[in-house]
Amino acid sequence: MARFIVRRLIGMAIVMLVVSFLTFLIFFKIPGGDPADRLAGKYATPGQVAAVEREWGFDKPFWIQYGNMMEKTFTGDLISYTRQDKVVERIIDGAPRTFSLAIGAALIWLVLGVALGLFSALRAGALSDRFLTVLALIGISMPVFWLGALANYYLGYKAGLFPDGGYVPISEGGLWEWFKHMILPWSVLATLFVGVYSRVLRNQVLDTINDDYVRTARAKGISERRVMGRHVLRNSMIPIVTLWGLDFGYVLGGGAILTETVFDLQGVGDYFAESIGALDVPPVMAVVLFGAFFIVLLNGIVDIVYAALDPRIRLS
Amino acid sequence: MSTQPLLEVDHLKVDFRTDEGLVHAVDDVSFRLGQSEVLAVVGESGSGKSVTAMTLMGLTRSPNARFEGSARLRGQELITASDDELRKLRGKEIAMIFQDPMTSLNPVHRIGKQIVEQIQAHDDVSDAEARDRVVTLLDRVGIPRSRERIDSYPHEFSGGMRQRVMIAMALSCDPGVLIADEPTTALDVTIQAQILREMRDLRERTGTSIILVTHDLGVVADIADRIAVMYSGRIVETGTLDEIFYDPQHPYTWGLLGSIARIDRPRPHRLPSIPGQPPSLIDRPEGCHFRPRCRHEFEDCPKYPELEGRIGQAPGHDDRCWLPVEEKRDRRVVADGQIGLEAEGATA
Ligand SMILES: Nc1ncnc2c1ncn2[C@@H]1O[C@H](COP(=O)(O)OP(=O)(O)O)[C@@H](O)[C@H]1O
Ligand SMILES: [Mg+2]
């Protein structure tokens, strides 16, 4: 276990290094991405631009620039090219918003996905199963920005049932205000995943239910509930838990960009989208590192949980 | 053998609705199982042995299945029993061992737990008591270091050891009837012999009645008291071990006997098998189902053959062949001093 963790930490460092390097390289090569031009302003003289270049270090070789940026990221001194504020502070401010969204939505899609998938499997072929299949397909194919905009407009703006977007920290508005602001984003983000998860679980259950050990379990004379819970569901959940960990890591790392944007949550994903649009390299680098960290972290946790759920798997 | 049958099966029929048509998996099966008797159910794969066995435990119940006839365990009807009544019998009165020990245990639970689960489903005992019982059971079926092995996972056992675990599980509540559905088919030959010895000892010690399902007549020679030969969903012949081996009445039985692989003789290059296609269970010939593959067909064969005594002096030796007894004895080929027969034309 200790060796596994050490190896994973090394792996994590490598992944973050590679990802950040590639990101930097891409932005370095993008035409029109020269930050000195923009920092110096629209009407700057070539001399002013050159001064900015020297001041910010844009005249240094590629490797030095990359090294400087990485160093500043970890010391917290990284400055945005456009707003010229501290990037790490923006991320620290956005993280609770992103985490609120990710944790709530992930719980909803796990619980609902499993519940609906199990229900569907137990009624496989029946009308209710087919209805849920159609519903899941609709959920899967519904674009988040469209669904989000609709929900925001009709349920938030028109009906006034929910606030139309924005985020209120618990420390400012209390638990209830925070919750009210999160309900729509959670539901919209979870919709896609509920569709996927309920399908995956349904098929897993239908597969597992024909396994020999389930027949053995029935032959033992234990209750049908126990057969379903301890034998069918227990085994069907293994791939779901794996999937969930990976998706959760992605959303936690700021991957739910559309949801964050539509509901104006101003989380890390929102910040990322804004920075990409402005070709603002420092925040892009920092958010990429932030995202990679959570994805790799959750990957490692998934491996540990997977081994705990299935004794045939060894951590190696 | 005691006089009171433990299990009485009468005119059992099982049909499955499928996309291809109605599958008549079990068709008019009747037999008796006495106290501490070993009944071997033998037949080619697809002849309805497993469906018969699983139906006794209600394991074939599904919306597509249709049942007729009756099966009574100590007088209690099984076919029409409620799911809950059946659940109480399963594992307690009737236990079952399945063919493939590699997949019959849940891979994510420790074997001890899986057996404890069965014990506690039926008997109100503490975890510690149940565990002690499991250790004793594991000892009894020949699993070494049972106190440690009880906490192993199935994948930490070999196939033979897993089948012993399955046997221990089946025995955990002292069932009156043990159904073993091809318990050794998936195992290699030496392990097969060990497992069969285990089962024989078991019957001696506990008096459990056993239904041993197999497609291999060779397996049953030193364990079975009675044999039921199944073909195309029907029992075509039943009798004691000696009756079936030394005075077989049905041409299908002759064929089966001819295809026994003998351990005491060199293995033939190709095991003689019964010529012709295994039957479809959807479209079946009228009368005797074996007709299309039988070389002794005559004008009576399209009549429905009851499973009944056709010999006279041997009560309990029943078959479904219309041929006159004398003719049967003339037509089959018995090699001297051997158990069983050689299939016609297959003698090398
Ligand atoms: N649930 C089911 N639905 C449809 N057909 C089935 C079902 N279970 C078994 N059968 C069919 O019944 C026949 C007998 O099967 P089985 O009893 O397993 O044969 P065996 O003698 O090899 O044990 C086979 O043709 C099988 O395909
Ligand atoms: Mg079978």
Side-chain angles (χ1 to χ4, degrees):
Chain A
M1 187 71 181
R3 269 182 51 197
F4 172 82
I5 290 175
V6 168
R7 231 190 354 248
R8 273 315 167 102
L9 286 177
I10 295 172
M12 181 185 265
I14 293 173
V15 167
M16 289 174 67
L17 209 65
V18 170
V19 165
S20 64
F21 176 75
L22 288 178
T23 312
F24 191 76
L25 183 67
I26 290 168
F27 278 87
F28 198 80
K29 295 284 182 199
I30 283 183
D34 184 0
D37 280 343
R38 280 175 298 146
L39 279 170
K42 241 180 185 168
Y43 306 106
T45 61
Q48 284 170 316
V49 173
V52 168
E53 264 185 8
R54 252 192 323 279
E55 188 192 336
W56 288 75
F58 297 138
D59 53 348
K60 300 254 169 59
F62 173 80
W63 286 106
I64 305 287
Q65 286 195 41
Y66 172 71
N68 279 342
M69 185 162 286
M70 287 299 277
E71 189 190 327
K72 283 186 190 158
T73 307
F74 286 98
T75 55
D77 296 327
L78 200 61
I79 304 279
S80 151
Y81 293 158
T82 49
R83 297 195 187 201
Q84 309 204 0
D85 54 357
K86 285 202 163 182
V87 169
V88 175
E89 275 170 17
R90 284 282 309 264
I91 291 183
I92 289 173
D93 181 55
R97 301 156 181 263
T98 297
F99 293 166
S100 293
L101 175 67
I103 295 170
L107 286 179
I108 291 175
W109 88 59
L110 179 66
V111 171
L112 274 188
V114 169
L116 292 179
L118 186 62
F119 179 86
S120 227
L122 293 180
R123 283 164 186 70
L127 208 64
S128 44
D129 173 39
R130 280 181 224 174
F131 177 71
L132 282 176
T133 305
V134 173
L135 219 57
L137 286 179
I138 293 176
I140 291 168
S141 41
M142 199 112 69
V144 166
F145 57 85
W146 181 76
L147 182 66
L150 278 188
N152 220 1
Y153 181 74
Y154 284 105
L155 299 177
Y157 175 73
K158 273 228 156 155
L161 295 174
F162 301 96
D164 58 340
Y167 176 85
V168 176
I170 298 177
S171 56
E172 284 171 26
L175 198 63
W176 176 239
E177 274 304 308
W178 169 81
F179 185 75
K180 252 179 24 190
H181 279 81
M182 293 312 298
I183 292 180
L184 284 187
W186 283 340
S187 312
V188 167
L189 177 57
T191 300
L192 159 78
F193 290 106
V194 169
V196 176
Y197 280 50
S198 63
R199 287 292 90 187
V200 173
L201 188 78
R202 174 189 181 273
N203 296 340
Q204 276 295 322
V205 166
L206 290 181
D207 256 13
T208 310
I209 220 162
N210 289 319
D211 280 349
D212 286 353
Y213 58 80
V214 174
R215 189 181 52 190
T216 306
R218 289 230 165 80
K220 291 200 273 195
I222 58 179
S223 67
E224 189 58 24
R225 236 187 120 98
R226 232 181 136 82
V227 172
M228 287 310 297
R230 278 184 55 91
H231 296 275
V232 177
L233 201 55
R234 172 69 173 71
N235 281 276
S236 305
M237 280 300 284
I238 295 174
I240 290 284
V241 169
T242 308
L243 198 62
W244 186 79
L246 300 180
D247 287 337
F248 181 53
Y250 177 74
V251 177
L252 211 52
I257 295 174
L258 289 176
T259 314
E260 288 195 13
T261 312
V262 169
F263 291 101
D264 191 28
L265 293 178
Q266 295 177 21
V268 178
D270 223 353
Y271 187 36
F272 187 66
E274 178 195 313
S275 310
I276 292 230
L279 292 180
D280 193 355
V281 186
V284 170
M285 285 283 288
V287 175
V288 161
L289 282 170
F290 177 87
F293 171 78
F294 281 103
I295 290 172
V296 179
L297 177 72
L298 264 293
N299 250 297
I301 294 178
V302 158
D303 283 348
I304 293 171
V305 172
Y306 190 56
L309 287 179
D310 189 339
R312 288 167 297 184
I313 307 296
R314 288 253 166 93
L315 291 179
S316 60
Chain B
M1 249 93 315
S2 135
T3 45
Q4 173 69 35
L6 190 60
L7 179 69
E8 300 161 280
V9 178
D10 285 301
H11 308 293
L12 182 64
K13 277 192 185 193
V14 184
D15 297 331
F16 294 108
R17 237 178 311 122
T18 69
D19 293 339
E20 288 79 41
L22 201 58
V23 174
H24 305 277
V26 175
D27 181 13
D28 196 9
V29 161
S30 308
F31 63 86
R32 300 277 176 275
L33 181 70
Q35 191 70 50
S36 67
E37 186 178 41
V38 178
L39 171 73
V41 179
V42 191
E44 285 170 316
S45 130
S47 54
K49 308 181 297 291
S50 296
V51 173
T52 305
M54 291 200 290
T55 299
L56 297 178
M57 293 186 82
L59 294 177
T60 47
R61 289 183 176 193
S62 88
N64 306 327
R66 215 181 55 199
F67 304 96
E68 268 178 55
S70 145
R72 291 173 312 281
L73 180 73
R74 297 198 172 95
Q76 183 181 358
E77 180 58 56
L78 302 174
I79 303 304
T80 55
S82 72
D83 285 343
D84 211 45
E85 284 169 334
L86 262 185
R87 193 185 59 67
K88 288 185 185 129
L89 294 177
R90 285 178 189 159
K92 175 83 179 163
E93 299 292 336
I94 315 184
M96 191 156 176
I97 306 167
F98 300 96
Q99 173 168 348
D100 191 351
M102 302 311 274
T103 55
S104 291
L105 289 161
N106 191 330
V108 305
H109 297 304
R110 298 172 198 279
I111 59 128
K113 270 228 134 139
Q114 297 192 47
I115 303 179
V116 165
E117 189 179 31
Q118 172 165 344
I119 294 174
Q120 290 184 332
H122 299 289
D123 301 340
D124 189 17
V125 294
S126 70
D127 290 353
E129 267 175 272
R131 248 181 99 83
D132 282 344
R133 254 167 78 176
V134 173
V135 170
T136 316
L137 284 162
L138 294 180
D139 282 337
R140 210 211 285 175
V141 297
I143 291 179
R145 294 185 295 119
S146 52
R147 252 177 216 289
E148 298 157 42
R149 299 299 265 157
I150 186 172
D151 287 321
S152 301
Y153 288 99
H155 73 271
E156 295 168 317
F157 286 90
S158 66
M161 280 296 160
R162 284 190 219 188
Q163 200 58 302
R164 284 165 204 251
V165 172
M166 284 298 293
I167 295 175
M169 183 187 285
L171 296 179
S172 61
C173 297
D174 285 318
V177 178
L178 175 67
I179 302 175
D181 189 354
E182 314 226 17
T184 62
T185 306
L187 306 174
D188 67 56
V189 181
T190 45
I191 311 290
Q192 270 189 28
Q194 284 174 18
I195 296 282
L196 286 172
R197 245 194 324 273
E198 221 73 76
M199 292 186 45
R200 201 175 44 196
D201 291 354
L202 201 120
R203 187 265 294 261
E204 238 100 86
R205 265 182 319 209
T206 62
T208 310
S209 308
I210 298 177
I211 298 178
L212 175 64
V213 173
T214 173
H215 65 267
D216 182 359
L217 252 183
V219 160
V220 308
D222 38 86
I223 174 167
D225 301 309
R226 297 181 56 80
I227 294 179
V229 177
M230 277 191 82
Y231 184 80
S232 176
R234 292 179 183 162
I235 293 180
V236 294
E237 181 165 5
T238 178
T240 63
L241 184 76
D242 284 354
E243 285 165 347
I244 300 293
F245 273 63
Y246 295 108
D247 190 19
Q249 298 297 305
H250 198 286
Y252 177 67
T253 313
W254 308 345
L256 265 191
L257 286 164
S259 58
I260 296 181
R262 298 278 306 268
I263 309 175
D264 55 340
R265 274 189 294 163
R267 225 181 153 74
H269 287 306
R270 214 165 49 94
L271 218 55
S273 62
I274 303 160
Q277 289 293 310
S280 153
L281 295 176
I282 297 173
D283 297 311
R284 302 162 310 163
E286 215 173 306
C288 173
H289 289 170
F290 190 55
R291 271 202 291 145
R293 293 168 79 181
C294 186
R295 62 180 74 186
H296 310 288
E297 192 182 3
F298 70 118
E299 76 259 17
D300 279 354
C301 294
K303 288 192 294 183
Y304 183 82
E306 289 290 349
L307 180 66
E308 59 193 12
R310 295 166 190 270
I311 307 176
Q313 70 274 36
H317 185 185
D318 300 343
D319 70 273
R320 288 190 193 260
C321 180
W322 285 115
L323 277 176
V325 183
E326 284 321 310
E327 199 139 340
K328 286 174 181 167
R329 289 184 176 148
D330 283 347
R331 291 193 185 200
R332 68 188 184 205
V333 183
V334 191
D336 263 348
Q338 288 181 355
I339 297 182
L341 311 169
E342 298 299 329
E344 291 147 277
T347 17

